[in-house]
């Protein structure tokens, strides 16, 4: 029986386990990436492991999230990352060089290799046929040290692309359509593999837009074949030698299939407040727009920017709209500056931001009260923009640019003929903003600012686990709810005790106080708890507050792994109706917790207040059981090496 593309790469990298969906496997990691807001923690953890030099083929640290320097904290963290990476053999992409996923795709990604990144949008690399996976910082630190990456073998879902996109319809509309069909939890436990005749009609940046937003499906990763289009892209980046052909076998098997007819797609938008709340732009109607933001790792490529510039050329941004544009990388920005497209944007009234995440993670450009903001980004969770009452719509760069001019949500097809932008034969390839690490053994002083505080480490699991249900939340709670990120909080990613004061506050401002008064307890969640980012702070902050377990209807993949790594027990209701029988402040008790967890998948939680036993599932591999018993991955690793 033939193999699909995902299985081929996994097979090449398999260290342990069998490629059977739902069972634990471990794979060798060729490359890693970190960004600064998860990177400080990842490097602190790497240092704690005591390994002198990374063992990957290439590891790169990017500075792209915390670039707003309103105080010393971010600048200090940049220095720390620059020095610690130089010491341990990691390349350092300086602030200004661009967004990690965009730069990695341009300059470092290699088809057929595995990439583990401490950012949930690492699957962008799937656009050139990498098996690129997002994970918590600790898992990335382990991979840098040469350790395998453990995960449940995903199912593989084939998305067959038929036909070709019509003018003004874009890759963003393709992934929004997939999100409309599959929902934000439809990809959990799956790899999305794109196939079909439509693949060859999509450029690498278009493919990368699609794999990037596979993160919003909850998928482990998404991947495209590596074909002639990939070869041309790598050649234009001066990296033809990195190309290999990669495709699924003719008789490859898939667990699921979805067909998307590219010809039938129309411009789409994800409406507030979820990436899967998708409707046609023309059906939403001409709502008044206050802000348009173009950029982010999803839609900030040279091709995207050139189309935006073409729409803006000779026009002026509508008086009621603030238009901000952040080209994704220094390569993109340089090319726009050289060919005049940047001048067209500026002349039209666009406010140009540096090549970084910026407004996508709430680092500036928070919209006005109740504002409608159209963004080419990938997440429109409530409050993520920095303004709770703002209504954020996710749209293509073309829809965004058209609407910036008209002042209302506009189907770009109304503008007449679509701009034609050709893929450049040669990109400007200048890696001088990527610093090579110091030679092995060189004396490098690691500079640590006062903002770096010790992070919490759990204790071995006790036999009796008890505490109150400290908060009860609904479905699809994001890591932006659990550990909000915005211009005020992001600078404190190396200071978990401070961040913990804001844990889950978008859901309940009193949660941190209640957790501290009760010396910890439990979180009760709905389905897809912890969707969104890879930030392990969404596990470390609860740990800091003494959280012992989370009982939810279901979990998002990366967050569940982060809870386990922190020694917090992730439990799912065996019977979802039991969710209704737990109220806030109920006393919960797990007796013989160690034995129960060792014994198998199900566990009894006594609701002491209601006098009722609830059955919960703890779906852990043998290794994960040991990690929970030890009180997290760091303790487990120490035990293993004793
Ligand atoms: C995001 O888009 O939410 C982030 C910010 O890039 C996160 C990482 C982080 O929280 O630092 C992600 O996607 O993993
Ligand atoms: Fe940065 Fe936004 Fe991409 Fe996250 S989703 S890496 S914040 S641009």
């Amino acid at each position: 029986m033939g193999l699909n593309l995902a299985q081929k790469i996994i097979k090449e990298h398999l260290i342990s386990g069998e490629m059977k969906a739902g069972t634990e496997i471990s794979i060798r990691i060729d490359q890693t990436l970190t960004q600064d807001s998860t990177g400080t923690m990842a490097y602190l953890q790497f240092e704690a492991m005591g390994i002198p030099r990374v063992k990957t083929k290439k590891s790169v640290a990017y500075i792209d999230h915390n670039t707003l320097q309103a105080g010393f904290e971010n600048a200090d963290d940049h220095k720390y990352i620059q020095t610690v990476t130089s010491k341990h053999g990691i390349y350092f992409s300086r602030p200004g060089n661009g967004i990690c996923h965009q730069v990695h795709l341009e300059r470092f990604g290699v088809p057929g290799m595995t990439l583990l990144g401490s950012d949930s949008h690492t699957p962008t690399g799937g656009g050139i046929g990498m098996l690129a996976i997002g994970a918590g910082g600790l898992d990335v630190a382990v991979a840098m040290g040469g350790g395998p990456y453990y995960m449940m073998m995903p199912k593989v879902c084939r998305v067959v692309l038929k036909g070709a996109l019509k003018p003004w319809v874009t890759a963003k509309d393709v992934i929004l359509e997939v999100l409309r069909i599959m929902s934000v939890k439809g990809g959990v436990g799956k790899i999305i593999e794109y196939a079909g005749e439509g693949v060859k009609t999509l450029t690498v940046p278009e493919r990368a837009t699609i794999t990037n937003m596979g993160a919003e499906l909850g998928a482990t990763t998404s991947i495209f074949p590596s074909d002639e289009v990939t070869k041309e892209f790598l050649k234009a980046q001066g990296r033809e030698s990195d190309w290999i052909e990669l495709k699924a076998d003719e008789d490859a098997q898939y667990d699921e299939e979805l067909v998307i007819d590219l010809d039938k797609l129309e411009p789409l938008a994800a409406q507030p407040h979820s990436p899967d709340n998708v409707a046609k732009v023309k059906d939403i109607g001409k709502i008044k727009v206050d802000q348009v933001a173009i950029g982010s790792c999803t839609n900030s490529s040279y091709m995207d920017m050139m189309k935006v510039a073409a729409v803006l050329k000779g026009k002026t941004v509508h008086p009621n709209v603030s238009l901000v544009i952040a080209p994704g990388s220094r390569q993109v920005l340089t090319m726009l500056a050289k060919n005049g497209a940047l001048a067209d944007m500026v002349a039209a009234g666009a406010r140009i931001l540096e090549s970084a995440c910026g407004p996508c993670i709430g680092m500036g450009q928070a919209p006005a009260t109740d504002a409608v903001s159209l963004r080419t980004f990938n997440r429109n969770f409530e409050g993520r923009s920095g303004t709770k009452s703002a209504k954020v719509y996710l749209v293509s760069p073309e829809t965004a640019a058209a609407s910036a001019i008209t002042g209302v949500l506009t189907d770009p097809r109304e503008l007449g003929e679509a701009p034609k932008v050709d893929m450049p034969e040669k990109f400007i390839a200048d890696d001088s903003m990527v610093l090579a690490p110091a030679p092995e053994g060189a004396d490098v002083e690691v500079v640590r600012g006062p903002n770096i505080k010790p992070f919490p480490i759990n204790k071995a699991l006790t036999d009796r686990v008890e505490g109150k249900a400290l908060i009860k939340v609904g479905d699809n709670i994001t890591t932006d709810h659990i550990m909000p990120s915005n211009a005020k909080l992001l600078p404190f990613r190396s200071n978990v005790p401070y961040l913990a004061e804001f844990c889950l506050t978008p859901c309940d401002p009193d949660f941190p106080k209640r957790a501290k008064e009760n010396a910890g307890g439990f979180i009760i969640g709905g389905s897809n708890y912890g969707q969104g980012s890879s930030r392990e702070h969404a596990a470390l902050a609860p740990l800091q507050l003494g959280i012992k377990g989370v009982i939810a209807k279901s979990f998002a993949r990366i967050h569940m792994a982060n809870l386990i790594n922190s020694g917090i027990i992730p439990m799912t209701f065996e019977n979802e109706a039991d969710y209704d029988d737990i109220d806030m402040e109920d006393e919960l008790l797990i007796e013989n917790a160690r034995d129960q967890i060792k014994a198998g998948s199900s566990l009894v939680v006594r609701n002491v207040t209601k006098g009722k036993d609830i059955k919960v599932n703890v779906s852990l591999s043998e290794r994960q059981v040991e990690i929970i018993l030890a009180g997290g991955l760091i303790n487990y690793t120490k035990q293993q090496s004793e």
Side-chain angles (χ1 to χ4, degrees):
M1 193 179 70
L3 295 178
N4 57 49
L5 179 50
Q7 288 167 337
K8 282 189 182 182
I9 304 181
I10 293 174
K11 189 171 171 221
E12 273 271 299
H13 292 82
L14 197 64
I15 294 181
S16 67
E18 244 184 278
M19 291 200 300
K20 213 170 114 222
T23 62
E24 191 177 67
I25 57 166
S26 69
I27 56 170
R28 184 169 38 81
I29 296 299
D30 298 318
Q31 298 189 340
T32 63
L33 71 76
T34 58
Q35 39 88 340
D36 47 329
S37 65
T38 54
T40 48
M41 203 51 69
Y43 294 112
L44 288 169
Q45 288 159 338
F46 182 78
E47 284 188 294
M49 284 162 30
I51 297 171
R53 197 97 182 153
V54 288
K55 299 200 172 119
T56 44
K57 291 190 175 134
K58 184 149 235 159
S59 286
V60 190
Y62 294 89
I63 305 289
D64 54 1
H65 282 63
N66 273 320
T67 55
L68 209 63
Q69 292 164 224
F72 64 90
E73 292 87 358
N74 290 342
D76 278 7
D77 282 354
H78 299 174
K79 272 251 160 332
Y80 166 65
I81 295 177
Q82 179 166 352
T83 50
V84 78
T85 52
S86 176
K87 179 166 177 177
H88 296 289
I90 299 139
Y91 287 78
F92 177 75
S93 172
R94 297 170 64 187
N97 198 44
I99 306 174
C100 54
H101 309 303
Q102 175 66 26
V103 178
H104 208 85
L105 190 80
E106 291 167 356
R107 306 302 309 144
F108 302 114
V110 178
M113 281 199 184
T114 52
L115 166 69
L116 195 72
S118 64
D119 192 280
S120 66
H121 289 103
T122 304
T124 313
I128 48 165
M130 294 195 94
L131 192 83
I133 301 176
L138 185 51
D139 283 329
V140 176
V142 169
M144 286 192 284
Y149 175 61
Y150 289 86
M151 63 174 176
M152 294 300 168
M153 176 69 198
K155 289 183 179 166
V156 185
C157 170
R158 172 160 67 170
V159 177
V160 181
L161 302 177
K162 285 171 64 181
L165 292 169
K166 288 258 158 57
W168 293 110
V169 184
T170 70
K172 182 67 145 217
D173 304 307
V174 177
I175 187 62
L176 288 177
E177 174 70 358
V178 179
L179 271 154
R180 188 185 68 76
I181 297 168
M182 288 181 74
S183 90
V184 288
K185 54 183 180 187
V188 178
K190 295 175 198 166
I191 292 178
I192 314 293
E193 184 170 315
Y194 289 87
E197 86 226 20
V199 164
K200 63 176 185 303
T201 68
L202 298 172
T203 62
V204 163
E206 287 174 313
R207 296 174 184 186
T209 293
I210 294 171
T211 58
N212 173 289
M213 275 190 83
E216 276 52 70
L217 297 164
T220 304
T221 190
S222 304
I223 189 164
F224 272 83
S226 169
D227 56 9
E228 285 301 312
V229 174
T230 323
K231 187 178 179 178
E232 284 310 305
F233 175 79
L234 287 171
K235 190 171 163 203
Q237 290 285 353
R239 303 202 288 125
E240 197 181 350
S241 58
D242 283 339
W243 181 77
I244 51 163
E245 189 184 20
L246 277 175
K247 57 178 181 201
D249 289 331
E250 292 288 332
D251 55 345
Q253 303 278 314
Y254 292 87
D255 299 289
E256 279 173 32
E257 184 164 297
L258 179 71
V259 179
I260 304 276
D261 213 331
L262 298 178
D263 296 281
K264 297 216 173 97
L265 290 182
E266 295 184 53
L268 299 172
Q271 307 167 95
H273 296 287
S274 180
D276 62 359
N277 187 14
V278 173
K280 288 182 186 163
V281 168
K282 69 168 199 247
D283 291 347
I284 299 171
K286 297 204 172 295
I287 50 171
K288 197 171 151 288
V289 171
D290 303 280
Q291 183 192 54
V292 174
I294 300 177
S296 94
C297 56
T298 325
N299 275 117
S300 60
S301 67
Y302 172 80
M303 301 292 281
D304 283 335
M305 293 292 150
M306 288 303 290
K307 286 180 195 150
V308 167
V311 173
L312 295 178
K313 192 176 168 120
K315 314 254 173 35
T316 304
V317 172
H318 189 276
N320 297 334
V321 175
S322 165
L323 169 66
V324 293
I325 302 180
S329 68
R330 178 167 157 269
Q331 176 181 85
V332 174
L333 186 51
T334 309
M335 288 175 69
L336 299 178
K338 286 210 165 159
N339 70 15
L342 184 62
D344 294 336
M345 291 173 167
V346 175
R351 302 164 66 183
I352 306 298
L353 304 178
E354 70 176 310
S355 295
C357 301
C360 180
I361 191 54
M363 289 302 259
Q365 315 305 329
T369 308
D370 297 332
V372 167
S373 175
L374 302 190
R375 298 176 164 215
T376 65
F377 306 168
N378 43 35
R379 291 185 172 144
N380 59 344
F381 304 143
E382 190 176 11
R384 181 174 160 105
S385 65
T387 304
K388 193 149 193 249
S389 67
K391 294 182 261 317
V392 176
Y393 291 72
L394 307 176
V395 295
S396 70
E398 286 84 333
T399 301
S403 309
I405 289 163
T406 60
V408 290
L409 178 65
T410 301
D411 184 327
R413 291 174 298 183
E414 289 174 21
L415 299 191
E417 207 178 316
K420 194 165 154 19
V421 175
D422 290 323
M423 211 41 195
E425 268 175 35
K426 247 200 154 2
F427 289 95
I428 296 177
D430 167 11
D431 294 331
S432 58
M433 289 285 278
V434 179
L435 305 182
E440 195 155 1
D443 193 14
V444 181
E445 190 207 340
V446 178
V447 183
R448 284 165 230 276
N451 189 38
I452 297 182
K453 296 281 184 290
F455 56 90
I457 297 184
N458 215 333
K459 295 210 171 58
L461 183 72
T462 48
D463 265 334
R464 212 179 145 84
V465 180
E466 59 191 325
K468 281 186 182 160
L470 294 168
I471 189 169
K472 185 173 174 182
V473 290
D475 292 344
N476 291 322
I477 289 297
T478 70
T479 53
D480 283 301
H481 292 100
I482 306 171
M483 195 58 262
S485 272
N486 54 44
K488 294 191 186 90
L489 289 182
L490 213 54
F492 295 96
R493 284 295 183 89
S494 325
N495 186 345
V496 176
Y498 180 79
L499 280 186
E501 300 296 325
F502 301 88
C503 180
L504 276 163
T505 49
C507 301
D508 178 352
D510 293 331
F511 171 74
K513 188 165 155 264
R514 192 176 318 116
K516 281 191 285 184
E517 280 168 5
N518 288 283
F522 294 87
I523 293 171
I524 312 299
S527 64
N528 202 24
Y529 179 79
Q531 70 158 327
S533 92
S534 69
R535 67 190 70 141
E536 58 197 332
H537 304 78
L540 290 171
L543 175 60
Q544 178 79 35
L545 296 171
I547 296 302
K548 296 163 187 168
V550 181
I551 313 177
K553 290 183 184 168
S554 68
F555 287 93
R557 177 186 68 89
I558 309 180
H559 185 58
M560 176 158 159
N562 287 338
L563 288 174
I564 297 168
N565 285 351
S566 297
I568 297 176
I569 319 169
M571 295 165 269
T572 52
F573 292 100
E574 197 166 295
N575 176 2
E576 282 195 5
D578 286 339
Y579 169 88
D580 300 327
D581 285 344
I582 304 183
D583 290 314
M584 208 164 86
E585 306 262 356
D586 280 0
E587 279 290 349
L588 306 179
L589 166 67
I590 308 172
E591 276 176 315
N592 302 322
R594 291 185 70 86
D595 286 344
Q596 285 206 66
I597 285 190
K598 267 189 245 169
S601 59
S602 124
L603 201 112
V604 177
V605 180
R606 166 137 275 259
N607 186 334
V608 181
T609 311
K610 301 262 159 57
K612 189 183 167 191
D613 282 346
I614 292 169
K615 273 209 165 162
V616 296
N617 292 324
V618 190
S619 318
L620 302 177
S621 68
E622 277 172 35
R623 176 180 158 274
Q624 289 172 325
V625 165
E626 293 303 323
I627 295 175
I628 289 286
L629 293 177
L633 184 57
I634 291 186
N635 292 334
Y636 168 78
T637 314
K638 270 195 209 137
Q639 274 176 16
Q640 296 291 99
S641 57
E642 272 162 19

